[in-house]
Amino acid sequence: MAFTMSQKALLQPATSRLSCAFKPVPVVFTRAPVAQRLGDVVVTRAAATEDLELLEELAAKKPQVQVKREKPRSKRFKAMQSKVAKRTVELDPATAIKNMRMTASTKFTESVEMHARMGLDPKFSDQQLRATVSLPKGTGKELRVAVLTQGDNVKAALSAGADVAGGEDLIERINGGFMDFDKLIATPDMMPKVAKLGRVLGPRGLMPNPKAGTVTTDVAGTVKDFKGGKVEYRLDKGGNLHVLFGRADFKEEDLLDNLKAIQESIDANKPPGAKGVYWKSMYVCTTMGPSQRISISALQGMKSKQE
């Protein structure tokens, strides 16, 4: 096959066709050693770490201003708050209860509550606090009581004032969703059968417990006690106590008697592992009113009417 001159020129290498002014220059790619490149990375990271440490030191030296935000309050609450002493001022029990009753300004009859901060850590078993106290003047609240028992105790519970009483039939009703009661009392022989209600009663705080006085053989007496004003108190996760001890329409003397009974019960049930200051602070308030701080030493120094 014959080739023309132009075709032969195209078949020759490109270097032979270029003039001397366009000689190709070889390009050499160089890479730094691996150790040197890793060293650069280490140095860069070290410099970044030093910068972060410097920034942390500057942030630590800079004074941090904590802004305390107040809770949004209604005009009614602020008006009642301006009429009484500030919550940081300790008052004698009689004055605190008098001021507290003045703050009850809602259309309904408010309940009266006691909130105490205790020097206890509920994480430790020897610092648990759970007990009951019978309020001499009652709570002013109608308590619905259910009793899990069998035999003659069913009639005894109903005659003592229980709203509902029964055995396995009542257990099945509760397991099916029946919850029309505020306190559940059980006899010891029924506790193995009550165990299957733990998931239903436990989250609501209704599970019978010997420490709460809701597991007993004296069914009639226990029903009368809870109907007459016996209340249970228990330390929460933050080491605080919350107890309802009456209503705003009670007399000041009656509220003071109930508060004194609670204080004596808490002192009598002091856990063995309690260390340091037992009572840190105590406040009383209505359901929708501002709190009043009570002098604990003044309350402890008062004599109860039972003495």
Side-chain angles (χ1 to χ4, degrees), residues 41-173:
V41 174
V42 171
V43 171
T44 305
R45 289 183 179 177
T49 306
E50 290 178 0
D51 293 341
L52 289 175
E53 291 177 354
L54 182 60
L55 291 174
E56 290 176 359
E57 291 179 2
L58 292 174
K61 292 179 180 179
K62 185 178 180 180
Q64 297 180 357
V65 180
Q66 295 181 355
V67 180
K68 188 177 181 180
R69 297 181 179 178
E70 295 183 357
K71 294 182 179 179
R73 300 293 188 181
S74 64
K75 293 181 180 179
R76 182 202 62 82
F77 185 92
K78 292 179 179 179
M80 293 298 104
Q81 198 173 32
S82 62
K83 294 181 181 180
V84 295
K86 295 182 179 180
R87 68 189 307 272
T88 55
V89 179
E90 282 192 352
L91 304 172
D92 62 275
T95 304
I97 289 177
K98 182 180 179 180
N99 291 351
M100 176 194 64
R101 291 182 74 248
M102 290 171 53
T103 62
S105 59
T106 56
K107 296 181 180 180
F108 62 93
T109 304
E110 301 179 43
S111 297
V112 175
E113 307 164 359
M114 186 279 297
H115 305 275
R117 185 183 174 207
M118 310 300 296
L120 299 172
D121 190 350
K123 295 179 181 179
F124 300 98
S125 59
D126 59 349
Q127 295 189 32
Q128 296 288 336
L129 180 59
R130 183 177 184 180
T132 57
V133 55
S134 295
L135 301 180
K137 304 302 180 181
T139 60
K141 183 180 179 181
E142 188 66 27
L143 197 70
R144 298 171 300 174
V145 179
V147 180
L148 285 171
T149 185
Q150 53 189 357
D152 296 336
N153 285 330
V154 176
K155 295 181 179 180
L158 292 174
S159 62
D163 296 274
V164 61
E168 295 184 2
D169 57 336
L170 183 56
I171 292 177
E172 294 299 326
R173 288 179 63 189

